Short mmCIF file of all heavy atoms in Angstrom, two decimals:
data_model
loop_
_atom_site.label_atom_id
_atom_site.label_comp_id
_atom_site.label_asym_id
_atom_site.label_seq_id
_atom_site.Cartn_x
_atom_site.Cartn_y
_atom_site.Cartn_z
N ALA W 188 134.43 86.61 50.38
CA ALA W 188 133.48 87.69 50.63
C ALA W 188 133.54 88.17 52.06
O ALA W 188 133.18 89.32 52.35
CB ALA W 188 132.06 87.21 50.30
N TYR W 189 134.03 87.34 52.98
CA TYR W 189 134.09 87.70 54.40
C TYR W 189 135.45 88.29 54.78
O TYR W 189 135.70 88.54 55.95
CB TYR W 189 133.81 86.47 55.27
CG TYR W 189 132.46 85.86 55.02
CD1 TYR W 189 132.27 84.92 54.01
CD2 TYR W 189 131.36 86.23 55.78
CE1 TYR W 189 131.03 84.36 53.77
CE2 TYR W 189 130.11 85.68 55.54
CZ TYR W 189 129.95 84.75 54.53
OH TYR W 189 128.71 84.21 54.29
N ARG W 190 136.30 88.53 53.78
CA ARG W 190 137.64 89.02 54.07
C ARG W 190 137.61 90.45 54.61
O ARG W 190 138.45 90.82 55.44
CB ARG W 190 138.48 88.95 52.80
CG ARG W 190 139.93 89.35 52.97
CD ARG W 190 140.69 89.08 51.70
NE ARG W 190 140.02 89.67 50.54
CZ ARG W 190 140.22 89.29 49.29
NH1 ARG W 190 141.04 88.30 49.03
NH2 ARG W 190 139.58 89.88 48.30
N ASN W 191 136.66 91.24 54.14
CA ASN W 191 136.57 92.64 54.56
C ASN W 191 135.40 92.87 55.52
O ASN W 191 134.79 93.94 55.52
CB ASN W 191 136.43 93.54 53.34
CG ASN W 191 137.63 93.46 52.43
OD1 ASN W 191 138.77 93.39 52.89
ND2 ASN W 191 137.40 93.45 51.12
N MET W 192 135.09 91.88 56.31
CA MET W 192 134.00 92.01 57.28
C MET W 192 134.35 93.09 58.31
O MET W 192 135.40 93.02 58.97
CB MET W 192 133.78 90.67 57.97
CG MET W 192 132.55 90.63 58.85
SD MET W 192 132.19 88.94 59.38
CE MET W 192 130.90 89.23 60.56
N PRO W 193 133.51 94.10 58.46
CA PRO W 193 133.88 95.22 59.34
C PRO W 193 133.78 94.86 60.81
O PRO W 193 132.93 94.07 61.22
CB PRO W 193 132.86 96.30 58.96
CG PRO W 193 131.67 95.53 58.50
CD PRO W 193 132.20 94.30 57.81
N ASN W 194 134.66 95.45 61.59
CA ASN W 194 134.64 95.30 63.04
C ASN W 194 134.22 96.64 63.63
O ASN W 194 135.05 97.49 63.96
CB ASN W 194 136.02 94.88 63.56
CG ASN W 194 136.00 94.55 65.03
OD1 ASN W 194 134.95 94.60 65.69
ND2 ASN W 194 137.15 94.22 65.58
N LEU W 195 132.90 96.84 63.75
CA LEU W 195 132.37 98.13 64.14
C LEU W 195 132.36 98.36 65.64
O LEU W 195 132.23 99.50 66.09
CB LEU W 195 130.93 98.28 63.60
CG LEU W 195 130.76 98.10 62.08
CD1 LEU W 195 129.30 98.28 61.71
CD2 LEU W 195 131.64 99.07 61.32
N PHE W 196 132.48 97.31 66.42
CA PHE W 196 132.31 97.42 67.87
C PHE W 196 133.61 97.20 68.64
O PHE W 196 133.60 97.10 69.86
CB PHE W 196 131.24 96.43 68.34
CG PHE W 196 129.94 96.57 67.61
CD1 PHE W 196 129.59 95.67 66.60
CD2 PHE W 196 129.07 97.61 67.90
CE1 PHE W 196 128.40 95.80 65.92
CE2 PHE W 196 127.87 97.74 67.21
CZ PHE W 196 127.53 96.85 66.22
N ASN W 197 134.70 97.08 67.92
CA ASN W 197 136.02 96.95 68.54
C ASN W 197 136.10 95.76 69.51
O ASN W 197 136.79 95.81 70.53
CB ASN W 197 136.42 98.24 69.27
CG ASN W 197 137.92 98.30 69.53
OD1 ASN W 197 138.71 97.73 68.78
ND2 ASN W 197 138.32 98.97 70.59
N GLN W 198 135.38 94.71 69.18
CA GLN W 198 135.47 93.47 69.93
C GLN W 198 136.35 92.49 69.15
O GLN W 198 136.54 92.63 67.94
CB GLN W 198 134.07 92.87 70.13
CG GLN W 198 133.17 93.67 71.04
CD GLN W 198 133.66 93.67 72.47
OE1 GLN W 198 134.07 92.65 73.00
NE2 GLN W 198 133.61 94.84 73.11
N PRO W 199 136.93 91.49 69.83
CA PRO W 199 137.75 90.51 69.11
C PRO W 199 136.97 89.85 67.98
O PRO W 199 135.88 89.30 68.19
CB PRO W 199 138.13 89.51 70.21
CG PRO W 199 138.08 90.29 71.47
CD PRO W 199 136.96 91.28 71.29
N LEU W 200 137.51 89.92 66.79
CA LEU W 200 136.89 89.34 65.59
C LEU W 200 137.97 88.71 64.75
O LEU W 200 138.96 89.37 64.40
CB LEU W 200 136.15 90.41 64.79
CG LEU W 200 135.60 89.98 63.42
CD1 LEU W 200 134.54 88.90 63.58
CD2 LEU W 200 135.04 91.18 62.66
N LEU W 201 137.80 87.44 64.43
CA LEU W 201 138.77 86.73 63.60
C LEU W 201 138.02 85.85 62.63
O LEU W 201 137.14 85.06 63.03
CB LEU W 201 139.72 85.89 64.45
CG LEU W 201 140.82 85.13 63.70
CD1 LEU W 201 141.70 86.10 62.93
CD2 LEU W 201 141.64 84.29 64.66
N CYS W 202 138.33 85.97 61.34
CA CYS W 202 137.71 85.17 60.29
C CYS W 202 138.79 84.32 59.63
O CYS W 202 139.77 84.86 59.10
CB CYS W 202 137.05 86.06 59.24
SG CYS W 202 135.81 87.20 59.90
N LEU W 203 138.63 83.02 59.67
CA LEU W 203 139.52 82.09 58.99
C LEU W 203 138.79 81.58 57.76
O LEU W 203 137.70 80.99 57.87
CB LEU W 203 139.91 80.93 59.90
CG LEU W 203 140.59 81.31 61.22
CD1 LEU W 203 141.00 80.06 62.00
CD2 LEU W 203 141.80 82.20 60.98
N LEU W 204 139.37 81.81 56.59
CA LEU W 204 138.69 81.58 55.32
C LEU W 204 139.42 80.51 54.52
O LEU W 204 140.66 80.54 54.40
CB LEU W 204 138.63 82.88 54.53
CG LEU W 204 138.13 84.10 55.32
CD1 LEU W 204 138.22 85.36 54.47
CD2 LEU W 204 136.70 83.87 55.81
N SER W 205 138.69 79.59 53.97
CA SER W 205 139.25 78.50 53.19
C SER W 205 139.69 78.99 51.81
O SER W 205 139.32 80.09 51.38
CB SER W 205 138.20 77.40 53.02
OG SER W 205 137.18 77.84 52.12
N PRO W 206 140.47 78.20 51.09
CA PRO W 206 140.74 78.53 49.68
C PRO W 206 139.43 78.56 48.90
O PRO W 206 138.49 77.83 49.19
CB PRO W 206 141.65 77.39 49.23
CG PRO W 206 142.27 76.85 50.47
CD PRO W 206 141.23 77.01 51.54
N THR W 207 139.38 79.42 47.91
CA THR W 207 138.17 79.51 47.07
C THR W 207 138.21 78.55 45.90
O THR W 207 137.20 78.38 45.21
CB THR W 207 138.00 80.95 46.55
OG1 THR W 207 139.19 81.34 45.85
CG2 THR W 207 137.80 81.91 47.73
N ALA W 208 139.34 77.92 45.66
CA ALA W 208 139.46 76.93 44.59
C ALA W 208 140.58 75.97 44.95
O ALA W 208 141.55 76.35 45.62
CB ALA W 208 139.75 77.61 43.24
N TYR W 209 140.45 74.72 44.49
CA TYR W 209 141.45 73.70 44.75
C TYR W 209 141.99 73.18 43.42
O TYR W 209 141.27 73.13 42.43
CB TYR W 209 140.87 72.55 45.57
CG TYR W 209 140.53 72.92 47.00
CD1 TYR W 209 139.23 73.23 47.36
CD2 TYR W 209 141.52 72.97 47.97
CE1 TYR W 209 138.92 73.58 48.67
CE2 TYR W 209 141.22 73.31 49.27
CZ TYR W 209 139.92 73.61 49.62
OH TYR W 209 139.62 73.96 50.92
N PRO W 210 143.26 72.78 43.39
CA PRO W 210 143.80 72.22 42.15
C PRO W 210 143.06 70.96 41.72
O PRO W 210 142.53 70.21 42.56
CB PRO W 210 145.26 71.92 42.51
CG PRO W 210 145.55 72.75 43.72
CD PRO W 210 144.26 72.87 44.46
N THR W 211 143.04 70.74 40.43
CA THR W 211 142.34 69.55 39.92
C THR W 211 143.08 68.27 40.29
O THR W 211 142.49 67.19 40.28
CB THR W 211 142.23 69.65 38.39
OG1 THR W 211 143.54 69.82 37.82
CG2 THR W 211 141.35 70.84 38.00
N THR W 212 144.35 68.39 40.64
CA THR W 212 145.12 67.20 41.01
C THR W 212 144.79 66.70 42.40
O THR W 212 145.15 65.59 42.77
CB THR W 212 146.62 67.51 40.95
OG1 THR W 212 146.91 68.64 41.79
CG2 THR W 212 147.05 67.83 39.52
N THR W 213 144.09 67.52 43.19
CA THR W 213 143.75 67.14 44.55
C THR W 213 142.43 66.38 44.55
O THR W 213 141.41 66.88 44.09
CB THR W 213 143.62 68.38 45.45
OG1 THR W 213 144.85 69.10 45.41
CG2 THR W 213 143.30 67.97 46.87
N ASN W 214 142.46 65.17 45.07
CA ASN W 214 141.27 64.34 45.12
C ASN W 214 140.86 64.16 46.57
O ASN W 214 141.52 63.47 47.33
CB ASN W 214 141.53 62.97 44.47
CG ASN W 214 140.30 62.09 44.48
OD1 ASN W 214 139.18 62.57 44.65
ND2 ASN W 214 140.49 60.79 44.28
N SER W 215 139.76 64.82 46.95
CA SER W 215 139.27 64.73 48.33
C SER W 215 137.76 64.54 48.28
O SER W 215 136.99 65.49 48.37
CB SER W 215 139.63 65.99 49.11
OG SER W 215 139.07 65.95 50.40
N SER W 216 137.34 63.31 48.12
CA SER W 216 135.91 63.03 48.01
C SER W 216 135.21 63.04 49.36
O SER W 216 133.98 63.13 49.41
CB SER W 216 135.70 61.66 47.35
OG SER W 216 136.34 60.64 48.11
#
Side-chain angles (χ1 to χ4, degrees):
Y189 300 87
R190 184 173 52 200
N191 298 321
M192 188 170 172
N194 187 2
L195 304 180
F196 306 102
N197 198 29
Q198 292 293 317
L200 172 64
L201 182 60
C202 303
L203 303 183
L204 312 175
S205 71
T207 56
Y209 291 99
T211 56
T212 56
T213 302
N214 181 18
S215 175
S216 59

